[in-house]
Amino acid sequence: MSSTSHLHGLNPEQREAVLQTDGPVLVLAGAGSGKTKMLVHRIAHLIRSKKAEPSQVLAVTFTNKAADEMRERVRAFAGDAAKDVVISTFHSLGVRILREHGARLGLPRRFAIYDTRDQLGALKTATSEIHIDDDRFDLARVLRRISDWKTRGVTPERADREVAAEAMKGNRTDEYDLLSAQAYGRYEEVLRACGAVDFDDLLLLPVRLLEEDEETRRAVWKRWRYIMIDEYQDTNGVQLDMARHLAGARRNLCVVGDDDQSIYAFRGADVSNILDFEGHFPGARVIALEQNYRSTKRILQAANAVIAGNAHRHPKSLRTENPEGPPLDLYEHEDDALEAETVAKEIGLRRYRNATAWKDYAVLYRTNVQSRVLEETMREKNVPYRVVGATGFFERREVADGVAYLRAVAHPADEIAIRRIINTPTRGIGRTTIFRVIELARERGRTFCGMLRRISDEDVGTAQAKAIRGFEALLDRARKSLDEAEARSAHFPPGTGLPPIAEWAMDLFRDRTGLIDSVKEDEHRVINLKDLVGALARYERRRWSEKPDAGEEWEPPTLHDALARLALDSEEDDKDDDEQDAVVLMTLHSAKGLEFDEVFLVGLEEGILPHSRSLVDEEGGAGALAEERRLLYVGITRARRRVTLSRCTQRRRGGETVECLPSRYLEEIPAELVTVKTAEQILTPEESAELKKNFFRDMKELLAE
DNA sequence: CCAGGGGTCCTTTTT
DNA sequence: GGACCCCTGG
């Protein structure tokens, strides 16, 4: 077999990118240009041409969703030979490196991973300890500042010096800068004392290891010989460093991305990483994928017109051989309730007329709050929908409590988790007692958790001390029974019932802690807790299904590992799998990388898109507006067949009604591509009757099932 | 000292 | 729907 015979089905650009396996390569992949297909072929080519063992190939993505999808497609295309290829997110890769080599940085073998909520808790501990009145400050803002330093690799000492230097020069220093610099160091200490790392650390610490530790470096270079990075335009400074270290002297690095789809500057992503790739990796080949396979000509023209307004871009021009397609629609509504209603009606009508499925339609918005009205209206009109992303499963109070219990058991030093559940359900340990414990811990130079373990009747009241001892005993017993559950889970494949760790968790929530009992008046909350147990069960089964055939190393399922995955994969909750037939609601950010037949882009107004925060220029500068434009570009290019835009002249925000002006980007779309409509035009009385009949029929079908 | 009820404010985008 | 605060009653 010739080594290139499997490349048919690719266009010449894609083929060139696949075959370019030595040295650094930048693939500028326009929207809808089949870049995932190209990556899948590239992986297969590396294996088939015997350039690398499957396990020496590493593909890095940003989201678990993207990793899952690529894994699936690689397996479908290249079969079992490719199952050892490592496809991982940056953060999971970080966990992997830290588990193996983190001890060199003094990290415990089983560290906790803190999400934003936990980070805020840790920051609050940190600021209260240095006697900063936290009421006056928005800690989320302080945290963003700290995170910003971390993603740029700035240490607390350097942050302190920089801020002090600015103040010395008499520059107007933000009091937030001063506070953040002070809090930063203490925040890091709190994390270490809790045996925890935050999301930034998952990138930062592995890079530090790769820089400072020869052994880690050698291990990584030995392990992976061909590196691929998807969505490269979203990398930040630390991720660029990681890319450099992973590639090493071999520089077999292939990055794929589209600078026009860079939408994560707010979390440190730096477009210049992709714009200056040839500077960072001299001698790099640059290949552009400019053929679009996804959208109609009109959609592409509209998208191109919008993005053309941005100055600093890699020049490229997308073309397509797809049909012209219908014009884009633009609705102008009186308010957001009417907007939602029209979207729901339109989808119902079009689905009926075109005999399409609910899941062919997506509604995209700039901010999560916008989903509220849409959800209400969809429910009202019996349109099945699915909200992707935020206010997710893990943010529900009871689920967060459940997870905190799991963490309190798995990580005895995890102060944030323990403080969250020490009095849920209430067991007589109130605020005053907690403050007393914090005070005592400081006086005696102990950690909060250490203090809890040694509390005496004289330290707090007798009743309180008893309650604390009871709580500690509860955790101890839970730890012992977890050991047994993990032992069973390691030795026996899961049967039909709940696997051991999941069963243990169920027992913990139901009997040991009374958590389920405390929420039993709300059926939903009980179900959510059971779903959390279900997530553990799925984890255990998956772990077993990944067990290699013989001899090879395999990590049996553990609660600690399950928690790490849960923390990194917020989508873990889509138990009712992706294939359910429902309209998809999500933010423009979540939509990147996806495609739909029809896309509704709502809220195209000044203040929403572009978002008001990008106008006031906190630290984003002029770049913020360019990023808003890219968001719209991403939104438009998600559609295969049809795009419907809408805006409102009024919108309810909080309690009051505010006036809205059309988004500045709307007038940049050539008028001949757009049909302007008003809500009255969509449905004639006959159509509306037709629609009703349709719903009736659906209901009947549903009941028949 | 603790629990629970009833106000207030707020919400850019995410691993 | 949250997180947070203040108030009341045990």
Side-chain angles (χ1 to χ4, degrees), chain A residues 5 19 511 551 604 680 704:
Chain A
S5 64
L19 292 174
D511 304 326
L604 297 174
E680 290 76 47

Side-chain angles (χ1 to χ4, degrees), chain A residues 88-200:
Chain A
S88 163
T89 65
F90 270 105
H91 291 85
S92 304
L93 184 66
V95 170
R96 197 171 178 139
I97 294 174
L98 287 183
R99 285 229 181 106
E100 228 159 294
H101 308 282
R104 296 179 170 268
L105 294 171
L107 216 59
R109 208 165 45 83
R110 299 186 158 196
F111 49 85
I113 300 169
Y114 276 10
D115 67 12
T116 312
R117 192 206 301 245
D118 305 318
Q119 285 179 278
L120 277 173
L123 182 60
K124 204 163 186 179
T125 304
T127 50
S128 73
E129 279 177 20
I130 51 180
H131 298 288
I132 291 169
D133 175 17
D134 26 304
D135 286 11
R136 277 177 46 236
F137 292 102
D138 173 10
L139 287 187
R141 188 168 158 192
V142 175
L143 190 61
R144 277 199 301 275
R145 194 79 190 78
I146 292 176
S147 174
D148 195 51
W149 277 318
K150 289 181 82 162
T151 53
R152 291 192 350 242
V154 177
T155 61
E157 296 73 37
R158 216 177 95 201
D160 232 356
R161 278 203 304 275
E162 278 178 13
V163 171
E166 283 300 306
M168 284 286 281
K169 275 190 279 181
N171 286 348
R172 189 188 65 91
T173 31
D174 204 326
E175 54 182 347
Y176 272 96
D177 278 356
L178 290 166
L179 170 63
S180 304
Q182 278 180 67
Y184 181 11
R186 190 66 204 116
Y187 166 77
E188 294 282 289
E189 286 170 27
V190 170
L191 282 191
R192 295 299 100 86
C194 293
V197 298
D198 64 17
F199 284 139
D200 297 324

Side-chain angles (χ1 to χ4, degrees), chain A residues 554-565:
Chain A
W554 175 68
E555 294 278 327
T558 61
L559 179 61
H560 163 255
D561 186 40
L563 285 170
R565 287 169 195 242

Side-chain angles (χ1 to χ4, degrees), chain A residues 634-650:
Chain A
V634 167
I636 295 173
T637 52
R638 295 311 91 194
R640 285 189 280 256
R641 292 187 34 244
R642 194 164 173 187
V643 171
T644 306
L645 312 162
S646 68
R647 71 170 188 97
C648 306
T649 47
Q650 282 185 350

Side-chain angles (χ1 to χ4, degrees), chain A residues 332-367:
Chain A
E332 294 175 354
H333 300 289
E334 261 168 55
D335 63 29
D336 46 344
L338 286 168
E339 177 179 59
E341 205 179 312
T342 307
V343 170
K345 279 182 183 166
E346 273 281 15
I347 293 177
L349 185 66
R350 291 187 200 174
R351 168 179 169 272
Y352 179 62
R353 286 212 176 138
N354 308 329
T356 47
W358 294 116
K359 66 175 178 195
D360 296 331
Y361 299 84
V363 187
L364 309 182
Y365 38 80
R366 176 64 176 78
T367 67

